[in-house]
Each structure stands twice: as structure tokens, then as C-alpha cells.
Amino acid sequence: MSWVKEGELSFWERFCANIIKAGPMPKHIAFIMDGNRRYAKKCQVERQEGHSQGFNKLAETLRWCLNLGILEVTVYAFSIENFKRSKSEVDGLMDLAREKFSRLMEEQCFLNICFAYTSRHEISNAVREMAWGVEQGLLDPSDVSESLLDKCLYTNHSPHPDILIRTSGEVRLSDFLLWQTSHSCLVFQPVLWPEYTFWNLCEAILQFQMNHSMLQQKARDMYAEERKRQQLERDQAAVTEQLLQEGLPASGDPQLRRTRLHKLSARREERVQGFLQALELKRADWLAHLGTASA
């Protein structure tokens, strides 16, 4: 029996799901699953039981997302900071994660799990990767940009989340997806994660829909256009410098400038794609080595 697909929506849940799906729907939701320990204290059970209930709630939430047509979910399962907890709790979490995530790997859903993760580490690692590309001669220093950094993040194969939901009443991001959620709808809910319900998820989606105006999409589009404009300005300055070094007038033949701009852009794109392919191989080798070391 599928862990995620166990159970069906009730009549009223299906009814409300159909109504909600008539509006703009998020394609990707991120969760900060907070409140497991407080739930355990509230219910007077062991912390491990609170974490176990939290993992079960994740499976249930994935089922709701599938029913709503949300095919990608990212969860903050374990921060690097969480290693400061007691050894017994950390060891218990590791064992529980190994068991539960092994089951989730058998499911037909797209789940990104941020484990031993902080956003600051992710961003600084992306910067180091670009510096490595320059050192290896794969990139020119002028190739380094926001757009390239975005492609060097761990989430480079996923769209940025439309909604970020944090439970337990805490109103902070706790170093989670800081880069990726700059245009996301942030929803902070007081419910503890193991007590999360289908109705809490619907509330979050309704908040997203109420804020999903053309202005929000326009802001994203304007930001993308601004990045393109800045890149074009840098390219034009580089072409001007080339022409001057060759003793040609900077504002000479427009066709020549267009040709130079096209070649400059094409060469940069070729370098960037070669770098990204090398980066994928580097990361694959690192994961293979990690798997061998932990076997």
C-alpha cells in the first residue's frame, strides 16, 4: 500500500479542492515543518514520537498536494543547526529519517528534502562553485552573474516556490531558501506541524490566490527584464572596449556592433553551459564518493 496515497479526501475536502482549483494554483510549495517537539510536550509523549508523527503528517500533506495538482514540494527536514541538539535526539531523527524517506522514495511525487541545510551555506557554496569555474578556465570572470548563481544552487532544476509555509506560529525563515523565496507568498500558521490539516493547506493557498495579482507576476517579470538589461549593458561595454582596442570607432557600424554582441553572447552561453555540465559531473562524483564512504 502506498504510504502517500493511503486514505481518500472526504466529500467536503473534494468539494473545496475543486473550488480552490478554479483559481490560480501554486506549482511548488515549500514547508518549514515546525512544532514536532512542542507537539510531543503538549501530548505528553516522547520527542521521538513527535518527530514520527511529523513524518506521517508529511506523507498526508503530500497526498493533499497531489489531489490539488501541486506536483512539487520542498521541506526543511533538518537544519545544520539541529545538530546542536542532544545526541540521542539527533541519532533518533537520523534513524527515523532513514526509515521514512526510504518509503517516500518509492512514491510518485516530486519531493525536495533539505537535510543538514542552511541557505547561507547553499549560497556561499554556489559562489565557491563559480570561483572554481573561473579557476579551471571554464568561465571568464565577466560570466559571473545573479543568473549563473541561481543555476549553481541546489534547487537549480526546480522552479522557485510559489508559497512558503511555516507552522507552529514562528514568524521567521530560519535560513531556509532565502534566495528562492524572494517573490514567494509567505504564510505563517500557528498550528503545530503534526496537527496540520487539509484546511490549513487550503487557507495557505487562498492567501496565495488573494495575493496572486498581475502586479506580483509583473514584479517577477520586471526583475528578470532588469537582469537582462544589466547583462546587455555589460556586453555593450565589452564590445565598445574591443572596438577601441582595435582602433575602430566605438559608435561605428551598427551591424558590426550587433554581430560582435551576438558572438559575445553566444561564446558566454557556450562557456556557461560547459561549466554547468562540468559542475553536474563534479557533484555526481562527490555524491558517488559519499555513498561509497557511508556504505
Side-chain angles (χ1 to χ4, degrees), residues 105-263:
M105 287 175 67
E106 301 170 3
E107 305 292 344
Q108 292 182 346
C109 57
F110 202 116
L111 176 66
N112 304 307
I113 302 167
C114 295
F115 206 85
Y117 167 93
T118 68
S119 188
R120 285 174 295 179
H121 180 272
E122 177 186 24
I123 293 169
S124 61
N125 182 71
V127 173
R128 285 194 295 271
E129 299 289 25
M130 291 189 294
W132 171 80
V134 173
E135 290 171 359
Q136 297 295 312
L138 300 170
L139 294 172
D140 285 349
S142 60
D143 297 332
V144 175
S145 65
E146 284 186 44
S147 177
L148 181 57
L149 192 150
D150 195 56
K151 293 181 175 72
C152 293
L153 296 174
Y154 303 140
T155 57
N156 66 88
H157 295 299
S158 298
H160 290 180
D162 299 294
I163 310 176
L164 186 148
I165 298 171
R166 179 166 190 158
T167 58
S168 86
E170 296 289 343
V171 187
R172 50 195 171 88
L173 298 182
S174 295
D175 212 354
F176 180 54
L177 299 181
L178 301 180
W179 180 280
Q180 297 88 335
T181 56
S182 59
H183 291 95
S184 302
C185 178
L186 306 181
V187 180
F188 300 99
Q189 298 176 301
V191 61
L192 301 177
W193 175 249
E195 297 175 327
Y196 202 71
T197 68
F198 176 78
W199 306 112
N200 295 130
L201 179 59
C202 288
E203 177 197 11
I205 294 172
L206 285 172
Q207 286 193 44
F208 164 77
Q209 291 178 338
M210 287 188 293
N211 290 283
H212 189 272
S213 63
M214 288 302 293
L215 286 175
Q216 182 186 30
Q217 187 59 48
K218 188 176 180 181
R220 293 188 180 193
D221 292 343
M222 287 177 63
Y223 181 68
E225 287 300 318
E226 177 62 17
R227 291 206 303 193
K228 289 180 182 178
R229 186 190 66 78
Q230 291 174 356
Q231 183 63 63
L232 179 59
E233 286 183 352
R234 290 194 294 269
D235 287 351
Q236 288 175 334
V239 167
T240 296
E241 185 178 352
Q242 286 179 4
L243 293 173
L244 290 174
Q245 287 176 351
E246 295 172 14
L248 298 172
S251 57
D253 183 359
Q255 181 60 41
L256 176 61
R257 286 189 65 87
R258 284 195 294 270
T259 300
R260 293 288 183 94
L261 277 170
H262 177 73
K263 287 182 178 179

Side-chain angles (χ1 to χ4, degrees), residues 65-93:
C65 288
L66 285 172
N67 275 282
L68 289 166
I70 301 161
L71 300 181
E72 184 158 0
V73 172
T74 297
V75 296
Y76 203 1
F78 202 79
S79 165
I80 291 175
E81 299 297 316
N82 291 151
F83 282 104
K84 296 177 181 177
R85 296 178 180 179
S86 68
K87 185 178 185 302
S88 60
E89 184 177 0
V90 171
D91 289 345
L93 267 170

